[in-house]
């Protein structure tokens, strides 16, 4: 056996070892690819289910949004109808404030402020008002009494 044959034998053994390692690596790669294929199929199935669910949810959300928009439009319409009410309430508040101020001014003018001639004029105004009220009350009472006596005589 010569050096050439030994070299060929070593090369053949090295080639055989290389082929064994390549075969083992290819088996592992094949197993890995099979697992990747299983995971990909499961992911595709899950993705299909999720897509269907999302489609259904998006349809329902769209319906809810349409209903919410309708309700908001209805609410805006009803609120706009109450605007005149709140305007009237605000105007009434201003009017009540004006009446209060006028009443204060009347009370002050009737009271006369307690100063000089105005005080006398104010008290005479109050006196006239009182006398007029008493006269009206007496007239009313006399009319009532006259009606009562008419009905009793018959």
């Amino acid at each position: 056996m010569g050096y050439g044959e030994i070299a060929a034998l070593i090369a053949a053994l090295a080639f055989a070892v290389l082929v064994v390692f390549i075969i083992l690596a290819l088996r592992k790669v094949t197993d890995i690819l099979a697992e990747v294929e299983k995971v990909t199929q499961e992911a595709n199935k899950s993705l299909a289910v999720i897509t269907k669910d999302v489609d259904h949810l998006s349809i329902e959300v769209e319906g809810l949004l349409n209903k919410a928009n309708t309700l908001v439009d209805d609410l805006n319409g009803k609120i706009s109808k109450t605007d005149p009410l709140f305007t009237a309430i605000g105007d009434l508040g201003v009017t009540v404030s004006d009446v209060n101020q006028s009443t204060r001014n009347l009370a002050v003018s009737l009271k006369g402020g307690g100063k000089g001639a105005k005080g006398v004029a104010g008290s005479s105004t109050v006196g006239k008002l009182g006398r007029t009220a008493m006269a009206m009350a007496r007239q009313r009472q006399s009319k009532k009494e006259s009606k009562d006596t008419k009905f009793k005589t018959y």
Side-chain angles (χ1 to χ4, degrees), residues 11-153:
L13 280 174
F15 185 72
V17 169
L18 181 65
V19 168
V20 168
F21 281 118
I22 289 175
I23 288 173
L24 290 175
L26 285 175
R27 274 192 175 172
K28 288 194 180 207
V29 168
T30 305
D31 291 342
I32 290 172
L33 287 175
E35 288 294 322
V36 167
E37 185 178 347
K38 287 179 186 177
V39 169
T40 304
Q41 287 175 354
E42 288 178 20
N44 286 338
K45 287 178 185 177
S46 297
L47 189 61
V49 170
I50 290 171
T51 303
K52 287 180 185 176
D53 289 345
V54 168
D55 288 342
H56 292 296
L57 286 174
S58 67
I59 290 169
E60 288 182 26
V61 167
E62 185 178 346
L64 287 173
L65 284 174
N66 288 336
K67 287 180 183 178
N69 286 338
T70 303
L71 288 174
V72 167
D73 289 343
D74 184 45
L75 187 62
N76 284 337
K78 289 180 179 177
I79 287 175
S80 68
K81 289 181 182 177
T82 62
D83 285 344
L85 172 69
F86 289 111
T87 302
I89 290 172
D91 292 345
L92 180 65
V94 170
T95 304
V96 168
S97 178
D98 290 344
V99 168
N100 283 338
Q101 186 61 40
S102 297
T103 305
R104 283 189 200 111
N105 292 342
L106 178 64
V108 167
S109 70
L110 289 177
K111 192 175 187 183
K115 297 180 182 174
K118 280 190 172 181
V120 173
S123 62
S124 68
T125 304
V126 172
K128 287 179 185 177
L129 184 64
R131 284 191 293 270
T132 305
M134 286 302 290
M136 289 174 69
R138 284 185 196 129
Q139 284 178 353
R140 190 172 181 197
Q141 183 67 29
S142 66
K143 283 183 182 179
K144 186 177 179 185
E145 287 175 358
S146 67
K147 283 183 182 179
D148 287 343
T149 57
K150 282 183 182 179
F151 289 123
K152 287 182 181 179
T153 58

